[in-house]
């Protein structure tokens, strides 16, 4: 019995891996990555950065969805020239999210030729496998790091197995061939990724970038590959680590793969910032990757972003779709309110709401939530008891249950999270 109790007491994520603290700032707005700070959620635009207005609009959407850092592609002179204008437009809209510039083959040229771009960005992402070949590689990598050091910008050194430094990989394959018991090709690839990240971080320090300005990532597409690489990377350095599959995929596959990989690492205390690289459906909402990242962290108990809705899956007792519609309505309503609620109702993101479909588990689950409603199942009495902090407060009936329950949620938010003397916010029924 005592061993079982000890196991229960030890439940939950392991202690966070110790890492350096890297501040990423835009003016007075600072996001800290590593050093025990909460795991940061970030995203990336898929607009042509040269389209400054379109890019600024998408950045605003991502930031309002909860992206704490937003990365943009800087791949050509027109994109670099647009970056200061994008930053200015965001500031005018009151969107102060730090911007990360994504550089590859010509980053050294763009950063030197467009100093306003270099200054407007809050962080650079450099892929050491895509900065040049042979002797040019070290020179061009150093040029980019020198710009970062000059402007005091942090850098993510992002190694990717699809663009790994071929000279390094060839060197490691030669070393492996000389072993008495050679490693598998897979293990050599893992080692090359980790070695590339750490060696380039050391090189960046030698050029003049501070250790507290470096974040590392080793992106791969496979779940087990990602877990293996990051465990070793975490063991061999104390730089903050950016987690994410390099191409997670579309829809449920991308969500499941990202969750499977990141949950294991986060549970082990590995990871300081995450991005869920979902392939959007044509015309799909780019901010979905932000929501998935938030939900991974919140369901694991690592952070709180928005009130969570608990809802039953439905069964033969719940042939009506009423509880599904109510759960969807309330979940959408809560997320839509969060940009304003975060300012006016501190702590509201920890609230739990239950929407249940019948009397089997409905009342019990509703009592465990801050606010819960147990809708009638098939053939049950057309009444929906509402529970507030475990106590039944009212029974709803009729066709306006959605609006009535939403009003109860709003009243609870105001009474439990509002400041003394604060007026209640008017309720707009969802449609």
């Amino acid at each position: 019995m005592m061993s079982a109790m000890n196991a229960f007491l030890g439940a939950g994520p392991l202690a966070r891996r110790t890492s350096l603290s890297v501040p990423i700032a835009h003016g007075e707005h600072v996001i800290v990555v590593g050093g025990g700070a909460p795991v940061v959620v970030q995203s990336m635009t898929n607009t042509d950065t040269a389209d400054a207005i379109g890019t600024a609009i998408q950045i605003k959407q991502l930031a309002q969805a909860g992206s704490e850092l937003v990365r943009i592609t800087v791949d050509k002179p027109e994109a670099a020239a647009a970056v200061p204008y994008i930053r200015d437009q965001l500031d005018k809209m009151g969107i102060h999210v730090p911007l990360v510039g994504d550089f590859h083959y010509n980053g050294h040229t763009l950063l030197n030729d467009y100093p306003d771009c270099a200054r407007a960005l809050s962080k650079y992402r450099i892929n050491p496998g895509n900065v040049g070949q042979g002797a040019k590689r070290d020179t061009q990598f150093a040029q980019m790091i020198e710009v970062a050091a000059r402007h005091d910008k942090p850098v993510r050194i992002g190694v990717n197995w699809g663009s790994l430094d071929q000279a390094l990989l060839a060197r490691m394959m030669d070393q492996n061939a000389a072993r008495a018991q050679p490693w598998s090709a897979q293990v050599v690839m893992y080692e090359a990724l980790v070695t590339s990240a750490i060696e380039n971080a050391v090189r960046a320090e030698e050029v003049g970038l501070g250790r507290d300005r470096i974040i590392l990532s080793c992106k791969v597409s496979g779940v087990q590959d990602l877990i293996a690489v990051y465990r070793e990377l975490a063991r061999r350095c104390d730089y903050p680590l950016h987690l994410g599959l390099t191409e997670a995929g579309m829809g449920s596959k991308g969500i499941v793969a990202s969750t499977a990989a990141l949950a294991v690492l986060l549970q082990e205390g590995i990871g300081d910032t995450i991005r869920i690289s979902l392939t959007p459906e044509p015309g799909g909402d780019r901010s979905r990757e932000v929501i998935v990242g938030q939900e991974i962290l919140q369901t694991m108990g690592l952070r709180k972003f928005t009130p969570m809705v608990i809802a039953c899956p439905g069964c033969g007792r719940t042939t009506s779709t009423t509880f599904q519609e109510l759960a969807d309505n309330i979940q959408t309503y809560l997320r839509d309110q969060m940009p304003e609620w975060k300012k006016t109702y501190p702590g509201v993101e920890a609230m739990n709401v239950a929407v249940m479909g019948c009397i089997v588990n409905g009342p019990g689950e509703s009592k465990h939530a801050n606010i819960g409603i147990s809708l009638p199942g098939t053939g049950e009495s057309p009444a929906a008891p509402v529970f507030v902090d475990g106590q039944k407060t009212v029974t709803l009936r009729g066709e306006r249950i959605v609006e009535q329950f939403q009003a109860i949620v709003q009243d609870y938010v105001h009474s439990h999270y509002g400041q003394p003397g604060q007026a209640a916010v008017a309720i707009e029924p969802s449609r």
Side-chain angles (χ1 to χ4, degrees):
M1 186 68 178
M2 184 59 68
S3 61
M5 182 182 297
N6 289 337
F8 293 144
L9 291 174
L14 301 179
R16 294 278 299 281
R17 161 184 170 269
T18 300
S19 66
L20 298 165
S21 177
V22 178
I24 303 169
H26 171 59
E28 296 181 356
H29 184 75
V30 181
I31 299 295
V32 178
V33 175
V39 179
V40 172
V41 175
Q42 59 180 283
S43 60
M44 185 175 184
T45 60
N46 63 353
T47 56
D48 181 354
T49 306
D51 174 11
I53 297 300
T55 301
I57 290 171
Q58 189 174 85
I59 292 169
K60 178 181 179 180
Q61 293 169 342
L62 291 168
Q64 289 181 331
S67 185
E68 294 160 300
L69 300 172
V70 177
R71 181 159 48 113
I72 59 177
T73 298
V74 188
D75 60 341
K76 54 190 175 184
E78 295 83 359
V83 169
Y85 183 72
I86 293 169
R87 179 73 272 171
D88 183 58
Q89 292 302 305
L90 290 170
D91 290 341
K92 288 178 179 177
M93 293 188 288
I95 304 297
H96 303 300
V97 61
L99 299 182
V100 181
D102 192 55
F103 296 97
H104 289 271
Y105 310 97
N106 57 353
H108 60 293
T109 299
L110 296 176
L111 282 170
N112 278 294
D113 290 353
Y114 294 88
D116 288 345
C117 168
R119 283 189 288 266
L121 294 168
S122 297
K123 174 172 167 265
Y124 309 155
R125 186 266 184 160
I126 302 173
N127 181 344
N130 285 341
V131 297
Q133 300 295 324
K136 288 185 177 180
R137 199 196 76 82
D138 289 346
T139 300
Q140 292 173 180
F141 177 80
Q143 288 174 347
M144 299 173 76
I145 296 299
E146 286 168 357
V147 174
R150 184 161 65 247
H151 294 292
D152 193 28
K153 304 293 184 180
V155 173
R156 171 161 71 95
I157 297 174
V159 179
N160 189 306
W161 73 348
S163 53
L164 192 59
D165 177 6
Q166 293 303 299
L168 170 66
L169 184 57
R171 185 188 86 201
M172 300 200 68
M173 291 176 68
D174 289 344
Q175 292 173 349
N176 186 54
R179 290 189 173 94
Q181 294 183 322
W183 297 345
S184 68
Q186 183 182 49
V187 172
V188 173
M189 175 69 76
Y190 292 168
E191 179 65 18
L193 286 163
V194 173
T195 299
S196 178
I198 295 175
E199 284 188 355
N200 281 286
V202 171
R203 186 173 293 114
E205 289 186 51
E206 292 171 348
V207 173
L209 192 64
R211 295 193 73 242
D212 63 347
R213 311 305 278 155
I214 298 172
I215 297 170
L216 297 185
S217 67
C218 287
K219 293 288 196 76
V220 297
S221 298
V223 170
Q224 295 296 343
D225 299 315
L226 193 84
I227 293 169
V229 168
Y230 271 89
R231 280 174 172 165
E232 184 62 12
L233 183 62
R235 187 184 69 83
R236 285 162 55 175
C237 74
D238 61 357
Y239 301 107
L241 301 182
H242 169 112
L243 300 187
L245 294 168
T246 187
E247 297 103 6
M250 293 187 70
S252 60
K253 183 270 178 185
I255 294 171
V256 170
S258 295
T259 304
L262 269 59
V264 171
L265 293 168
L266 291 167
Q267 182 72 13
E268 296 177 2
I270 298 170
D272 303 286
T273 179
I274 65 172
R275 188 219 167 178
I276 310 302
S277 300
L278 295 180
T279 304
E281 297 174 359
D285 186 356
R286 188 69 170 178
S287 62
R288 189 181 187 195
E289 67 176 51
V290 179
I291 294 171
V292 172
Q294 290 181 332
E295 289 180 345
I296 290 173
L297 295 176
Q298 185 152 353
T299 54
M300 291 187 68
L302 296 174
R303 288 193 66 180
K304 297 184 185 299
F305 296 95
T306 191
M308 296 291 285
V309 175
I310 302 162
C312 67
C315 66
R317 297 184 181 89
T318 58
T319 55
S320 168
T321 61
T322 303
F323 86 95
Q324 301 165 5
E325 294 163 1
L326 178 56
D328 182 65
N329 178 283
I330 287 296
Q331 184 163 277
T332 300
Y333 171 74
L334 293 173
R335 185 167 285 280
D336 288 347
Q337 303 311 305
M338 281 310 294
E340 184 60 33
W341 280 2
K342 282 192 294 187
K343 304 173 189 173
T344 54
Y345 298 115
V348 69
E349 62 274 7
M351 183 175 70
N352 288 318
V353 178
V355 179
M356 305 303 293
C358 75
I359 60 173
V360 174
N361 290 323
E365 287 283 359
S366 296
K367 290 177 182 179
H368 286 302
N370 296 112
I371 310 169
I373 185 169
S374 180
L375 291 163
T378 305
E380 294 174 10
S381 174
V386 175
F387 298 84
V388 176
D389 290 330
Q391 300 298 315
K392 180 179 174 182
T393 60
V394 67
T395 298
L396 302 181
R397 295 179 173 85
E399 299 179 355
R400 299 188 67 251
I401 286 179
V402 171
E403 290 85 353
Q404 292 171 339
F405 186 63
Q406 185 171 293
I408 291 170
V409 171
Q410 174 65 83
D411 288 343
Y412 184 92
V413 170
H414 176 68
S415 62
H416 286 72
Y417 303 102
Q419 305 300 308
Q422 181 182 13
V425 178
I427 301 168
E428 291 288 339
S430 296
R431 288 175 169 77

